[in-house]
Amino acid sequence: MNTATPILQAERVSKRFGRPASLLERARRVHPPVIRALDAVSLAFRPGEAFSIVGESGSGKSTLARCLTALHTCDGGRVLYRGRDLALMQPAERRRFHRRVQMVFQNPLAALNPRMTVAEMLGEALRVHRICPADQVEAQMQALLERVRLPGSVLHRRPHEFSGGQLQRIAMARALSVRPEIIVADEVVSALDVSVQAQIVNLLITLQDELGLAIVFIAHDLRLVRHISHRVAVMYRGRLVELGDSEALFASPMHPYTRLLIGSAPTLRPAHVSAETQQVTEVAASGSVAAATGCVFRTRCPEVMPRCATEVPGLRVAAAGRAVACHLVPEPRSL
Ligand SMILES: Nc1ncnc2c1ncn2[C@@H]1O[C@H](COP(=O)(O)OP(=O)(O)O)[C@@H](O)[C@H]1O
Ligand SMILES: [Mg+2]
């Protein structure tokens, strides 16, 4: 097993979202509900590894990606880059972090500046981060386009002139231009046609392999990640429910939710839209958020037990490299 120091690490990262109180709520002096988007999630990404995070929509994947790349500050736990807490970084360290940890988004059109040509975007990144001398910028841009399999002719075009797949290639070229160690790819193929999805996924694997990059591939479709990751984390409603080596996890899923996902889940109960399952937490008059009770999956779990309503299942080590947050797993050792 690869035991190298993690590049990036989440330690019990939590993030809640509230909204401003409505007039009625203010009149009644009640606090608006708070969404627990992430609840004490711990994960560590190793150099060069292909890691996937899966979970249905709303499970907190993008919130985690944003906490990992410092687009959100977490309000519980911490994020470490090469062992250094992001919250404690000095400006120079922080700049290095922002260069070495890149994110690619689901909607590239929203993430790319519509007024800039590809040459301007790539050129700016290369210059701002002083990646190469000015006289090599042109050659560097050509090399980046080759990496993402785009012709040099795209350089003088703007984002609206491209298809979704081409835009994701440009977003990847932009991310690669600053020589990252890790790319967090948040649902980068979800908005693309199925035929194009495979091309982009293949490109990501090739880049990961050719450049020794670590990739955190986020998807809501477990099937998509099976052959492209060394390790997989499964999230459900803000919690990490299972973590393991990809092959082992697919061969013997342990959490009932993972099992349902892998078995294509004909028996998965529909999500109940209730305060309970929406991770909505009432806020006490003091403004403090009550601790969650029980397992977040229990309302849809085919194997639910009385204990699941009262005890939050901690993440337990179930086998080498495998951790599962479920009371069915007997191992009492907590991570
Ligand atoms: N900026 C935000 N403000 C309020 N709620 C948010 C915000 N971002 C995410 N959420 C809520 O947090 C939960 C997790 O969302 P998200 O991280 O986007 O999940 P995913 O990417 O897995 O679909 C959802 O309930 C979502 O509505
Ligand atoms: Mg998302």
Side-chain angles (χ1 to χ4, degrees), residues 15-19 35-38 53-66 72 106 186-187 218-220 235 237-238 278-280:
K15 181 76 183 172
R16 296 184 285 254
F17 293 107
R19 56 169 173 77
I35 308 259
R36 238 176 240 282
L38 276 185
I53 300 175
V54 293
E56 61 196 38
S57 180
S59 55
K61 305 180 301 294
S62 294
T63 305
L64 177 61
R66 288 176 162 271
H72 279 329
Q106 176 170 358
D186 188 10
E187 306 238 22
I218 298 177
H220 60 260
M235 287 183 63
R237 305 245 159 94
Q278 285 289 302
Q279 316 136 273
V280 171

PDB file of all heavy atoms in Angstrom, residues 15-19 35-38 53-66 72 106 186-187 218-220 235 237-238 278-280, ligand 1:
ATOM      1  N   LYS A  15     -19.252  21.482   7.196  1.00  0.00           N
ATOM      2  CA  LYS A  15     -19.708  22.755   6.626  1.00  0.00           C
ATOM      3  C   LYS A  15     -21.224  22.798   6.715  1.00  0.00           C
ATOM      4  O   LYS A  15     -21.911  21.858   6.314  1.00  0.00           O
ATOM      5  CB  LYS A  15     -19.268  22.845   5.150  1.00  0.00           C
ATOM      6  CG  LYS A  15     -19.655  24.138   4.457  1.00  0.00           C
ATOM      7  CD  LYS A  15     -18.759  25.280   4.868  1.00  0.00           C
ATOM      8  CE  LYS A  15     -19.193  26.582   4.230  1.00  0.00           C
ATOM      9  NZ  LYS A  15     -18.437  27.722   4.786  1.00  0.00           N
ATOM     10  N   ARG A  16     -21.714  23.890   7.261  1.00  0.00           N
ATOM     11  CA  ARG A  16     -23.172  24.060   7.354  1.00  0.00           C
ATOM     12  C   ARG A  16     -23.568  25.297   6.578  1.00  0.00           C
ATOM     13  O   ARG A  16     -22.790  26.236   6.460  1.00  0.00           O
ATOM     14  CB  ARG A  16     -23.585  24.220   8.813  1.00  0.00           C
ATOM     15  CG  ARG A  16     -23.297  22.999   9.636  1.00  0.00           C
ATOM     16  CD  ARG A  16     -23.820  23.180  11.048  1.00  0.00           C
ATOM     17  NE  ARG A  16     -22.982  24.068  11.813  1.00  0.00           N
ATOM     18  CZ  ARG A  16     -22.148  23.680  12.764  1.00  0.00           C
ATOM     19  NH1 ARG A  16     -22.053  22.408  13.062  1.00  0.00           N
ATOM     20  NH2 ARG A  16     -21.434  24.542  13.428  1.00  0.00           N
ATOM     21  N   PHE A  17     -24.752  25.266   6.032  1.00  0.00           N
ATOM     22  CA  PHE A  17     -25.265  26.449   5.357  1.00  0.00           C
ATOM     23  C   PHE A  17     -26.559  26.870   6.013  1.00  0.00           C
ATOM     24  O   PHE A  17     -27.442  26.054   6.236  1.00  0.00           O
ATOM     25  CB  PHE A  17     -25.543  26.163   3.877  1.00  0.00           C
ATOM     26  CG  PHE A  17     -24.311  25.891   3.071  1.00  0.00           C
ATOM     27  CD1 PHE A  17     -24.009  24.617   2.627  1.00  0.00           C
ATOM     28  CD2 PHE A  17     -23.438  26.923   2.758  1.00  0.00           C
ATOM     29  CE1 PHE A  17     -22.863  24.372   1.881  1.00  0.00           C
ATOM     30  CE2 PHE A  17     -22.296  26.686   2.015  1.00  0.00           C
ATOM     31  CZ  PHE A  17     -22.005  25.409   1.575  1.00  0.00           C
ATOM     32  N   GLY A  18     -26.645  28.125   6.299  1.00  0.00           N
ATOM     33  CA  GLY A  18     -27.901  28.650   6.818  1.00  0.00           C
ATOM     34  C   GLY A  18     -28.458  29.606   5.784  1.00  0.00           C
ATOM     35  O   GLY A  18     -27.885  29.791   4.722  1.00  0.00           O
ATOM     36  N   ARG A  19     -29.573  30.192   6.070  1.00  0.00           N
ATOM     37  CA  ARG A  19     -30.073  31.287   5.241  1.00  0.00           C
ATOM     38  C   ARG A  19     -30.539  32.369   6.197  1.00  0.00           C
ATOM     39  O   ARG A  19     -30.805  32.088   7.371  1.00  0.00           O
ATOM     40  CB  ARG A  19     -31.198  30.812   4.318  1.00  0.00           C
ATOM     41  CG  ARG A  19     -32.354  30.169   5.059  1.00  0.00           C
ATOM     42  CD  ARG A  19     -33.559  29.954   4.153  1.00  0.00           C
ATOM     43  NE  ARG A  19     -34.586  29.199   4.834  1.00  0.00           N
ATOM     44  CZ  ARG A  19     -35.411  29.662   5.745  1.00  0.00           C
ATOM     45  NH1 ARG A  19     -35.319  30.939   6.127  1.00  0.00           N
ATOM     46  NH2 ARG A  19     -36.320  28.898   6.311  1.00  0.00           N
ATOM     47  N   ILE A  35     -28.506  23.668   7.008  1.00  0.00           N
ATOM     48  CA  ILE A  35     -28.224  22.444   6.247  1.00  0.00           C
ATOM     49  C   ILE A  35     -26.825  21.967   6.613  1.00  0.00           C
ATOM     50  O   ILE A  35     -25.872  22.724   6.541  1.00  0.00           O
ATOM     51  CB  ILE A  35     -28.230  22.713   4.722  1.00  0.00           C
ATOM     52  CG1 ILE A  35     -29.496  23.411   4.289  1.00  0.00           C
ATOM     53  CG2 ILE A  35     -27.932  21.435   3.952  1.00  0.00           C
ATOM     54  CD1 ILE A  35     -30.526  22.564   3.658  1.00  0.00           C
ATOM     55  N   ARG A  36     -26.766  20.729   7.010  1.00  0.00           N
ATOM     56  CA  ARG A  36     -25.478  20.115   7.308  1.00  0.00           C
ATOM     57  C   ARG A  36     -24.931  19.556   6.003  1.00  0.00           C
ATOM     58  O   ARG A  36     -25.178  18.397   5.666  1.00  0.00           O
ATOM     59  CB  ARG A  36     -25.761  18.914   8.200  1.00  0.00           C
ATOM     60  CG  ARG A  36     -25.129  18.868   9.506  1.00  0.00           C
ATOM     61  CD  ARG A  36     -25.674  17.606  10.184  1.00  0.00           C
ATOM     62  NE  ARG A  36     -26.351  17.974  11.402  1.00  0.00           N
ATOM     63  CZ  ARG A  36     -25.702  18.272  12.514  1.00  0.00           C
ATOM     64  NH1 ARG A  36     -24.398  18.228  12.566  1.00  0.00           N
ATOM     65  NH2 ARG A  36     -26.369  18.584  13.597  1.00  0.00           N
ATOM     66  N   ALA A  37     -24.194  20.342   5.253  1.00  0.00           N
ATOM     67  CA  ALA A  37     -23.724  19.885   3.938  1.00  0.00           C
ATOM     68  C   ALA A  37     -22.580  18.887   4.067  1.00  0.00           C
ATOM     69  O   ALA A  37     -22.457  17.972   3.258  1.00  0.00           O
ATOM     70  CB  ALA A  37     -23.291  21.082   3.107  1.00  0.00           C
ATOM     71  N   LEU A  38     -21.776  19.060   5.092  1.00  0.00           N
ATOM     72  CA  LEU A  38     -20.658  18.135   5.347  1.00  0.00           C
ATOM     73  C   LEU A  38     -20.570  17.924   6.837  1.00  0.00           C
ATOM     74  O   LEU A  38     -20.610  18.878   7.611  1.00  0.00           O
ATOM     75  CB  LEU A  38     -19.330  18.756   4.926  1.00  0.00           C
ATOM     76  CG  LEU A  38     -18.860  18.681   3.496  1.00  0.00           C
ATOM     77  CD1 LEU A  38     -17.463  19.275   3.429  1.00  0.00           C
ATOM     78  CD2 LEU A  38     -18.862  17.268   2.968  1.00  0.00           C
ATOM     79  N   ILE A  53     -14.796  10.235  -5.643  1.00  0.00           N
ATOM     80  CA  ILE A  53     -15.803  10.465  -4.608  1.00  0.00           C
ATOM     81  C   ILE A  53     -17.162  10.367  -5.286  1.00  0.00           C
ATOM     82  O   ILE A  53     -17.411  11.071  -6.270  1.00  0.00           O
ATOM     83  CB  ILE A  53     -15.638  11.861  -3.971  1.00  0.00           C
ATOM     84  CG1 ILE A  53     -14.249  11.995  -3.330  1.00  0.00           C
ATOM     85  CG2 ILE A  53     -16.733  12.117  -2.934  1.00  0.00           C
ATOM     86  CD1 ILE A  53     -13.940  13.380  -2.781  1.00  0.00           C
ATOM     87  N   VAL A  54     -17.999   9.469  -4.783  1.00  0.00           N
ATOM     88  CA  VAL A  54     -19.321   9.316  -5.385  1.00  0.00           C
ATOM     89  C   VAL A  54     -20.413   9.512  -4.350  1.00  0.00           C
ATOM     90  O   VAL A  54     -20.201   9.323  -3.148  1.00  0.00           O
ATOM     91  CB  VAL A  54     -19.516   7.933  -6.053  1.00  0.00           C
ATOM     92  CG1 VAL A  54     -18.627   7.770  -7.253  1.00  0.00           C
ATOM     93  CG2 VAL A  54     -19.302   6.809  -5.069  1.00  0.00           C
ATOM     94  N   GLY A  55     -21.575   9.860  -4.840  1.00  0.00           N
ATOM     95  CA  GLY A  55     -22.731  10.056  -3.971  1.00  0.00           C
ATOM     96  C   GLY A  55     -23.783  10.785  -4.775  1.00  0.00           C
ATOM     97  O   GLY A  55     -23.445  11.518  -5.710  1.00  0.00           O
ATOM     98  N   GLU A  56     -25.034  10.563  -4.415  1.00  0.00           N
ATOM     99  CA  GLU A  56     -26.083  11.197  -5.212  1.00  0.00           C
ATOM    100  C   GLU A  56     -26.067  12.716  -5.014  1.00  0.00           C
ATOM    101  O   GLU A  56     -25.379  13.232  -4.121  1.00  0.00           O
ATOM    102  CB  GLU A  56     -27.446  10.602  -4.845  1.00  0.00           C
ATOM    103  CG  GLU A  56     -27.831  10.810  -3.404  1.00  0.00           C
ATOM    104  CD  GLU A  56     -28.971   9.876  -2.992  1.00  0.00           C
ATOM    105  OE1 GLU A  56     -29.007   8.715  -3.410  1.00  0.00           O
ATOM    106  OE2 GLU A  56     -29.827  10.348  -2.223  1.00  0.00           O
ATOM    107  N   SER A  57     -26.840  13.380  -5.816  1.00  0.00           N
ATOM    108  CA  SER A  57     -26.911  14.834  -5.770  1.00  0.00           C
ATOM    109  C   SER A  57     -27.292  15.301  -4.358  1.00  0.00           C
ATOM    110  O   SER A  57     -28.183  14.724  -3.728  1.00  0.00           O
ATOM    111  CB  SER A  57     -27.956  15.283  -6.791  1.00  0.00           C
ATOM    112  OG  SER A  57     -28.045  16.664  -6.760  1.00  0.00           O
ATOM    113  N   GLY A  58     -26.604  16.300  -3.865  1.00  0.00           N
ATOM    114  CA  GLY A  58     -26.916  16.834  -2.545  1.00  0.00           C
ATOM    115  C   GLY A  58     -26.145  16.160  -1.419  1.00  0.00           C
ATOM    116  O   GLY A  58     -26.332  16.487  -0.254  1.00  0.00           O
ATOM    117  N   SER A  59     -25.250  15.223  -1.749  1.00  0.00           N
ATOM    118  CA  SER A  59     -24.550  14.506  -0.680  1.00  0.00           C
ATOM    119  C   SER A  59     -23.356  15.278  -0.131  1.00  0.00           C
ATOM    120  O   SER A  59     -22.701  14.817   0.803  1.00  0.00           O
ATOM    121  CB  SER A  59     -24.141  13.103  -1.135  1.00  0.00           C
ATOM    122  OG  SER A  59     -23.381  13.161  -2.310  1.00  0.00           O
ATOM    123  N   GLY A  60     -23.048  16.423  -0.731  1.00  0.00           N
ATOM    124  CA  GLY A  60     -21.987  17.260  -0.173  1.00  0.00           C
ATOM    125  C   GLY A  60     -20.672  17.179  -0.941  1.00  0.00           C
ATOM    126  O   GLY A  60     -19.651  17.718  -0.496  1.00  0.00           O
ATOM    127  N   LYS A  61     -20.691  16.560  -2.105  1.00  0.00           N
ATOM    128  CA  LYS A  61     -19.450  16.373  -2.875  1.00  0.00           C
ATOM    129  C   LYS A  61     -18.830  17.709  -3.286  1.00  0.00           C
ATOM    130  O   LYS A  61     -17.636  17.930  -3.117  1.00  0.00           O
ATOM    131  CB  LYS A  61     -19.726  15.524  -4.132  1.00  0.00           C
ATOM    132  CG  LYS A  61     -20.379  14.188  -3.849  1.00  0.00           C
ATOM    133  CD  LYS A  61     -20.624  13.392  -5.111  1.00  0.00           C
ATOM    134  CE  LYS A  61     -21.512  14.061  -6.142  1.00  0.00           C
ATOM    135  NZ  LYS A  61     -22.912  14.260  -5.711  1.00  0.00           N
ATOM    136  N   SER A  62     -19.660  18.598  -3.834  1.00  0.00           N
ATOM    137  CA  SER A  62     -19.110  19.886  -4.281  1.00  0.00           C
ATOM    138  C   SER A  62     -18.664  20.731  -3.093  1.00  0.00           C
ATOM    139  O   SER A  62     -17.668  21.447  -3.172  1.00  0.00           O
ATOM    140  CB  SER A  62     -20.153  20.668  -5.091  1.00  0.00           C
ATOM    141  OG  SER A  62     -20.420  19.989  -6.288  1.00  0.00           O
ATOM    142  N   THR A  63     -19.408  20.633  -2.003  1.00  0.00           N
ATOM    143  CA  THR A  63     -19.004  21.376  -0.804  1.00  0.00           C
ATOM    144  C   THR A  63     -17.642  20.888  -0.326  1.00  0.00           C
ATOM    145  O   THR A  63     -16.773  21.690   0.018  1.00  0.00           O
ATOM    146  CB  THR A  63     -20.074  21.213   0.296  1.00  0.00           C
ATOM    147  OG1 THR A  63     -21.340  21.628  -0.234  1.00  0.00           O
ATOM    148  CG2 THR A  63     -19.743  22.046   1.522  1.00  0.00           C
ATOM    149  N   LEU A  64     -17.442  19.579  -0.365  1.00  0.00           N
ATOM    150  CA  LEU A  64     -16.143  19.028   0.029  1.00  0.00           C
ATOM    151  C   LEU A  64     -15.055  19.514  -0.939  1.00  0.00           C
ATOM    152  O   LEU A  64     -13.983  19.955  -0.508  1.00  0.00           O
ATOM    153  CB  LEU A  64     -16.209  17.491   0.047  1.00  0.00           C
ATOM    154  CG  LEU A  64     -14.896  16.781   0.371  1.00  0.00           C
ATOM    155  CD1 LEU A  64     -14.380  17.155   1.753  1.00  0.00           C
ATOM    156  CD2 LEU A  64     -15.072  15.254   0.287  1.00  0.00           C
ATOM    157  N   ALA A  65     -15.349  19.460  -2.242  1.00  0.00           N
ATOM    158  CA  ALA A  65     -14.369  19.906  -3.242  1.00  0.00           C
ATOM    159  C   ALA A  65     -13.995  21.366  -2.983  1.00  0.00           C
ATOM    160  O   ALA A  65     -12.825  21.753  -3.061  1.00  0.00           O
ATOM    161  CB  ALA A  65     -14.950  19.743  -4.641  1.00  0.00           C
ATOM    162  N   ARG A  66     -14.989  22.164  -2.646  1.00  0.00           N
ATOM    163  CA  ARG A  66     -14.746  23.596  -2.407  1.00  0.00           C
ATOM    164  C   ARG A  66     -13.972  23.836  -1.113  1.00  0.00           C
ATOM    165  O   ARG A  66     -13.196  24.779  -1.027  1.00  0.00           O
ATOM    166  CB  ARG A  66     -16.072  24.359  -2.412  1.00  0.00           C
ATOM    167  CG  ARG A  66     -16.640  24.453  -3.809  1.00  0.00           C
ATOM    168  CD  ARG A  66     -17.996  25.109  -3.865  1.00  0.00           C
ATOM    169  NE  ARG A  66     -18.251  25.528  -5.240  1.00  0.00           N
ATOM    170  CZ  ARG A  66     -17.901  26.704  -5.733  1.00  0.00           C
ATOM    171  NH1 ARG A  66     -17.359  27.611  -4.957  1.00  0.00           N
ATOM    172  NH2 ARG A  66     -18.110  26.990  -6.997  1.00  0.00           N
ATOM    173  N   HIS A  72     -14.316  27.388  -0.163  1.00  0.00           N
ATOM    174  CA  HIS A  72     -15.105  27.556   1.063  1.00  0.00           C
ATOM    175  C   HIS A  72     -14.133  27.407   2.231  1.00  0.00           C
ATOM    176  O   HIS A  72     -13.205  26.606   2.140  1.00  0.00           O
ATOM    177  CB  HIS A  72     -16.089  26.391   1.252  1.00  0.00           C
ATOM    178  CG  HIS A  72     -17.355  26.465   0.465  1.00  0.00           C
ATOM    179  ND1 HIS A  72     -17.980  27.635   0.122  1.00  0.00           N
ATOM    180  CD2 HIS A  72     -18.146  25.469  -0.019  1.00  0.00           C
ATOM    181  CE1 HIS A  72     -19.082  27.358  -0.543  1.00  0.00           C
ATOM    182  NE2 HIS A  72     -19.215  26.058  -0.662  1.00  0.00           N
ATOM    183  N   GLN A 106     -18.019  21.457 -13.070  1.00  0.00           N
ATOM    184  CA  GLN A 106     -19.020  20.805 -13.919  1.00  0.00           C
ATOM    185  C   GLN A 106     -19.378  21.660 -15.121  1.00  0.00           C
ATOM    186  O   GLN A 106     -19.553  21.160 -16.222  1.00  0.00           O
ATOM    187  CB  GLN A 106     -20.283  20.528 -13.092  1.00  0.00           C
ATOM    188  CG  GLN A 106     -21.412  19.939 -13.923  1.00  0.00           C
ATOM    189  CD  GLN A 106     -22.564  19.438 -13.064  1.00  0.00           C
ATOM    190  OE1 GLN A 106     -22.507  19.506 -11.828  1.00  0.00           O
ATOM    191  NE2 GLN A 106     -23.594  18.949 -13.697  1.00  0.00           N
ATOM    192  N   ASP A 186     -14.721  18.163 -10.400  1.00  0.00           N
ATOM    193  CA  ASP A 186     -16.072  18.047  -9.831  1.00  0.00           C
ATOM    194  C   ASP A 186     -17.127  17.831 -10.917  1.00  0.00           C
ATOM    195  O   ASP A 186     -17.543  18.781 -11.571  1.00  0.00           O
ATOM    196  CB  ASP A 186     -16.395  19.310  -9.016  1.00  0.00           C
ATOM    197  CG  ASP A 186     -17.704  19.167  -8.255  1.00  0.00           C
ATOM    198  OD1 ASP A 186     -18.264  18.047  -8.202  1.00  0.00           O
ATOM    199  OD2 ASP A 186     -18.174  20.179  -7.701  1.00  0.00           O
ATOM    200  N   GLU A 187     -17.541  16.596 -11.084  1.00  0.00           N
ATOM    201  CA  GLU A 187     -18.586  16.241 -12.063  1.00  0.00           C
ATOM    202  C   GLU A 187     -18.270  16.820 -13.441  1.00  0.00           C
ATOM    203  O   GLU A 187     -19.157  17.374 -14.099  1.00  0.00           O
ATOM    204  CB  GLU A 187     -19.965  16.738 -11.591  1.00  0.00           C
ATOM    205  CG  GLU A 187     -20.302  16.240 -10.198  1.00  0.00           C
ATOM    206  CD  GLU A 187     -21.584  15.444 -10.126  1.00  0.00           C
ATOM    207  OE1 GLU A 187     -22.017  14.905 -11.158  1.00  0.00           O
ATOM    208  OE2 GLU A 187     -22.125  15.349  -9.018  1.00  0.00           O
ATOM    209  N   ILE A 218     -14.895  13.454  -9.020  1.00  0.00           N
ATOM    210  CA  ILE A 218     -16.172  13.463  -8.296  1.00  0.00           C
ATOM    211  C   ILE A 218     -17.307  13.161  -9.271  1.00  0.00           C
ATOM    212  O   ILE A 218     -17.368  13.746 -10.358  1.00  0.00           O
ATOM    213  CB  ILE A 218     -16.385  14.843  -7.638  1.00  0.00           C
ATOM    214  CG1 ILE A 218     -15.271  15.078  -6.624  1.00  0.00           C
ATOM    215  CG2 ILE A 218     -17.760  14.934  -6.986  1.00  0.00           C
ATOM    216  CD1 ILE A 218     -15.306  16.421  -5.950  1.00  0.00           C
ATOM    217  N   ALA A 219     -18.156  12.226  -8.890  1.00  0.00           N
ATOM    218  CA  ALA A 219     -19.236  11.824  -9.796  1.00  0.00           C
ATOM    219  C   ALA A 219     -20.443  11.362  -9.002  1.00  0.00           C
ATOM    220  O   ALA A 219     -20.312  10.947  -7.851  1.00  0.00           O
ATOM    221  CB  ALA A 219     -18.757  10.679 -10.690  1.00  0.00           C
ATOM    222  N   HIS A 220     -21.636  11.451  -9.613  1.00  0.00           N
ATOM    223  CA  HIS A 220     -22.775  10.870  -8.911  1.00  0.00           C
ATOM    224  C   HIS A 220     -23.041   9.451  -9.403  1.00  0.00           C
ATOM    225  O   HIS A 220     -23.839   8.730  -8.829  1.00  0.00           O
ATOM    226  CB  HIS A 220     -24.021  11.760  -9.018  1.00  0.00           C
ATOM    227  CG  HIS A 220     -24.478  12.008 -10.416  1.00  0.00           C
ATOM    228  ND1 HIS A 220     -24.195  13.169 -11.078  1.00  0.00           N
ATOM    229  CD2 HIS A 220     -25.168  11.230 -11.264  1.00  0.00           C
ATOM    230  CE1 HIS A 220     -24.705  13.094 -12.297  1.00  0.00           C
ATOM    231  NE2 HIS A 220     -25.294  11.927 -12.424  1.00  0.00           N
ATOM    232  N   MET A 235     -20.195   8.929  -0.444  1.00  0.00           N
ATOM    233  CA  MET A 235     -20.794   9.892   0.490  1.00  0.00           C
ATOM    234  C   MET A 235     -22.303   9.799   0.455  1.00  0.00           C
ATOM    235  O   MET A 235     -22.895   9.505  -0.582  1.00  0.00           O
ATOM    236  CB  MET A 235     -20.374  11.318   0.130  1.00  0.00           C
ATOM    237  CG  MET A 235     -18.929  11.593   0.471  1.00  0.00           C
ATOM    238  SD  MET A 235     -18.471  13.290   0.120  1.00  0.00           S
ATOM    239  CE  MET A 235     -19.535  14.170   1.250  1.00  0.00           C
ATOM    240  N   ARG A 237     -25.492  12.175   2.133  1.00  0.00           N
ATOM    241  CA  ARG A 237     -25.981  13.281   2.967  1.00  0.00           C
ATOM    242  C   ARG A 237     -24.933  13.870   3.909  1.00  0.00           C
ATOM    243  O   ARG A 237     -25.124  13.932   5.128  1.00  0.00           O
ATOM    244  CB  ARG A 237     -27.183  12.819   3.783  1.00  0.00           C
ATOM    245  CG  ARG A 237     -28.274  12.241   2.921  1.00  0.00           C
ATOM    246  CD  ARG A 237     -29.522  13.076   2.962  1.00  0.00           C
ATOM    247  NE  ARG A 237     -30.325  12.794   1.779  1.00  0.00           N
ATOM    248  CZ  ARG A 237     -31.311  11.898   1.710  1.00  0.00           C
ATOM    249  NH1 ARG A 237     -31.670  11.258   2.779  1.00  0.00           N
ATOM    250  NH2 ARG A 237     -31.964  11.717   0.584  1.00  0.00           N
ATOM    251  N   GLY A 238     -23.829  14.262   3.319  1.00  0.00           N
ATOM    252  CA  GLY A 238     -22.825  14.978   4.096  1.00  0.00           C
ATOM    253  C   GLY A 238     -21.852  14.111   4.874  1.00  0.00           C
ATOM    254  O   GLY A 238     -20.943  14.624   5.525  1.00  0.00           O
ATOM    255  N   GLN A 278     -33.144  15.709   4.978  1.00  0.00           N
ATOM    256  CA  GLN A 278     -32.483  16.831   4.318  1.00  0.00           C
ATOM    257  C   GLN A 278     -31.333  17.386   5.146  1.00  0.00           C
ATOM    258  O   GLN A 278     -30.832  18.451   4.864  1.00  0.00           O
ATOM    259  CB  GLN A 278     -33.495  17.967   4.061  1.00  0.00           C
ATOM    260  CG  GLN A 278     -34.433  17.676   2.910  1.00  0.00           C
ATOM    261  CD  GLN A 278     -33.701  17.732   1.598  1.00  0.00           C
ATOM    262  OE1 GLN A 278     -33.122  18.735   1.252  1.00  0.00           O
ATOM    263  NE2 GLN A 278     -33.699  16.626   0.865  1.00  0.00           N
ATOM    264  N   GLN A 279     -30.939  16.683   6.173  1.00  0.00           N
ATOM    265  CA  GLN A 279     -29.860  17.103   7.076  1.00  0.00           C
ATOM    266  C   GLN A 279     -30.162  18.459   7.666  1.00  0.00           C
ATOM    267  O   GLN A 279     -29.267  19.217   7.990  1.00  0.00           O
ATOM    268  CB  GLN A 279     -28.514  17.249   6.391  1.00  0.00           C
ATOM    269  CG  GLN A 279     -28.097  16.211   5.448  1.00  0.00           C
ATOM    270  CD  GLN A 279     -27.508  16.841   4.211  1.00  0.00           C
ATOM    271  OE1 GLN A 279     -28.206  17.182   3.279  1.00  0.00           O
ATOM    272  NE2 GLN A 279     -26.224  16.979   4.183  1.00  0.00           N
ATOM    273  N   VAL A 280     -31.426  18.807   7.702  1.00  0.00           N
ATOM    274  CA  VAL A 280     -31.748  20.112   8.248  1.00  0.00           C
ATOM    275  C   VAL A 280     -31.770  19.993   9.760  1.00  0.00           C
ATOM    276  O   VAL A 280     -32.306  19.052  10.314  1.00  0.00           O
ATOM    277  CB  VAL A 280     -33.119  20.601   7.731  1.00  0.00           C
ATOM    278  CG1 VAL A 280     -33.546  21.852   8.468  1.00  0.00           C
ATOM    279  CG2 VAL A 280     -33.044  20.838   6.250  1.00  0.00           C
TER     280      VAL A 280
HETATM  281  N1  LIG B   1     -23.841  27.889  -1.030  1.00  0.00           N
HETATM  282  C1  LIG B   1     -24.799  27.133  -0.470  1.00  0.00           C
HETATM  283  N2  LIG B   1     -25.781  27.696   0.292  1.00  0.00           N
HETATM  284  C2  LIG B   1     -26.732  26.953   0.873  1.00  0.00           C
HETATM  285  N3  LIG B   1     -26.806  25.611   0.765  1.00  0.00           N
HETATM  286  C3  LIG B   1     -25.875  24.983   0.030  1.00  0.00           C
HETATM  287  C4  LIG B   1     -24.826  25.726  -0.638  1.00  0.00           C
HETATM  288  N4  LIG B   1     -24.034  24.819  -1.300  1.00  0.00           N
HETATM  289  C5  LIG B   1     -24.576  23.604  -1.064  1.00  0.00           C
HETATM  290  N5  LIG B   1     -25.671  23.702  -0.274  1.00  0.00           N
HETATM  291  C6  LIG B   1     -26.479  22.564   0.222  1.00  0.00           C
HETATM  292  O1  LIG B   1     -25.584  21.625   0.786  1.00  0.00           O
HETATM  293  C7  LIG B   1     -25.955  20.292   0.443  1.00  0.00           C
HETATM  294  C8  LIG B   1     -24.818  19.619  -0.304  1.00  0.00           C
HETATM  295  O2  LIG B   1     -24.678  20.250  -1.581  1.00  0.00           O
HETATM  296  P1  LIG B   1     -23.518  19.924  -2.596  1.00  0.00           P
HETATM  297  O3  LIG B   1     -22.212  19.960  -1.885  1.00  0.00           O
HETATM  298  O4  LIG B   1     -23.673  20.811  -3.767  1.00  0.00           O
HETATM  299  O5  LIG B   1     -23.840  18.403  -2.993  1.00  0.00           O
HETATM  300  P2  LIG B   1     -23.440  17.569  -4.299  1.00  0.00           P
HETATM  301  O6  LIG B   1     -22.288  18.260  -4.967  1.00  0.00           O
HETATM  302  O7  LIG B   1     -23.098  16.213  -3.753  1.00  0.00           O
HETATM  303  O8  LIG B   1     -24.660  17.527  -5.158  1.00  0.00           O
HETATM  304  C9  LIG B   1     -27.242  20.399  -0.356  1.00  0.00           C
HETATM  305  O9  LIG B   1     -28.320  20.245   0.521  1.00  0.00           O
HETATM  306  C10 LIG B   1     -27.186  21.803  -0.897  1.00  0.00           C
HETATM  307  O10 LIG B   1     -28.472  22.317  -1.120  1.00  0.00           O
END
